[in-house]
Amino acid sequence: ETGVTQSPTHLIKTRGQQVTLRCSSQSGHNTVSWYQQALGQGPQFIFQYYREEENGRGNFPPRFSGLQFPNYSSELNVNALELDDSALYLCASSLAGRGTGELFFGEGSRLTVL
Amino acid sequence: AQRVTQPEKLLSVFKGAPVELKCNYSYSGSPELFWYVQYSRQRLQLLLRHISRESIKGFTADLNKGETSFHLKKPFAQEEDSAMYYCALATGTASKLTFGTGTRLQVTL
């Protein structure tokens, strides 16, 4: 069974740039959620994708967008980067309908905005 | 709006001592609560969920709706319990979680 994988693991951008983060879900999982974890904070829900559609969104501006592909992998895109976007971005996969609440997390992509 | 509060950033206990990690929540709906754990150099993973009322690695947590709490307890701490612990509340579907800020548990000899 393949776990959740994310890329890149680390990256540095400057203000105003755009970034794309990628996530491959765990084998058999059809739902992907993205979380932002700032230093010293808990993960904060950005949005979730199910069947290639956004299925819920947290309190994040529209410059945070995403995609889910037919193979259930996903991308998180952030436009017009701001300094406060510096954080660890976590992807988590799950199986819709199971309702167990168990999310399987990747190791994260650490974004630094200068 | 939903909120999860973990009042302690760091909890340091001796090996063999009891452990209680505090978690309080606010939510107008029917709460579904979880504890996630992150061991050193590992990814975040589910420890236990209130709905299954199980004991995992000696840890238990009881949902107290009157006190809006979901404290994590273990009678005798072990060195391998040292980790970051996050309390989380599910809203909407079970995969949309609101996390607390986490408590680092440090078990010393």
Side-chain angles (χ1 to χ4, degrees), chain A:
Chain A
E1 190 177 77
T2 308
V4 177
T5 58
Q6 292 186 243
S7 63
T9 54
H10 295 81
L11 69 166
I12 299 173
K13 293 284 188 178
T14 56
R15 265 188 313 177
Q17 284 189 312
Q18 178 266 343
V19 68
T20 297
L21 307 178
R22 296 178 175 82
C23 171
S24 292
S25 61
Q26 179 156 316
S27 177
H29 286 180
N30 55 15
T31 302
V32 173
S33 306
W34 286 92
Y35 287 80
Q36 180 195 64
Q37 186 172 20
L39 203 60
Q41 301 297 314
Q44 189 174 356
F45 177 72
I46 303 175
F47 44 53
Q48 179 186 93
Y49 277 83
Y50 171 64
R51 291 186 175 178
E52 302 176 51
E53 298 282 334
E54 188 179 288
N55 179 34
R57 187 179 186 93
N59 189 25
F60 281 82
R63 60 189 184 85
F64 284 78
S65 63
L67 285 172
Q68 187 182 30
F69 300 99
N71 66 354
Y72 306 129
S73 65
S74 177
E75 285 183 357
L76 164 65
N77 298 290
V78 187
N79 293 323
L81 284 167
E82 300 177 0
L83 297 179
D84 285 349
D85 295 335
S86 294
L88 181 68
Y89 288 85
L90 295 169
C91 172
S93 73
S94 56
L95 186 58
R98 180 175 283 181
T100 63
E102 183 162 14
L103 299 184
F104 292 81
F105 283 87
E107 294 183 323
S109 294
R110 184 165 296 284
L111 171 65
T112 301
V113 182
L114 301 176

Side-chain angles (χ1 to χ4, degrees), chain B residues 34-46:
Chain B
F34 308 86
W35 279 97
Y36 276 78
V37 62
Q38 186 167 26
Y39 300 102
S40 179
R41 289 184 290 279
Q42 293 188 28
R43 58 190 69 192
L44 195 58
Q45 59 186 282
L46 178 68

Side-chain angles (χ1 to χ4, degrees), chain B residues 61-98:
Chain B
D62 290 319
L63 177 60
N64 186 323
K65 290 186 180 180
E67 296 183 358
T68 60
S69 68
F70 187 57
H71 303 326
L72 183 67
K73 299 178 184 180
K74 184 170 182 176
F76 307 104
Q78 302 298 315
E79 280 183 87
E80 56 266 29
D81 297 329
S82 295
M84 194 74 181
Y85 291 80
Y86 293 96
C87 182
L89 168 69
T91 60
T93 73
S95 55
K96 298 172 191 173
L97 298 178
T98 297

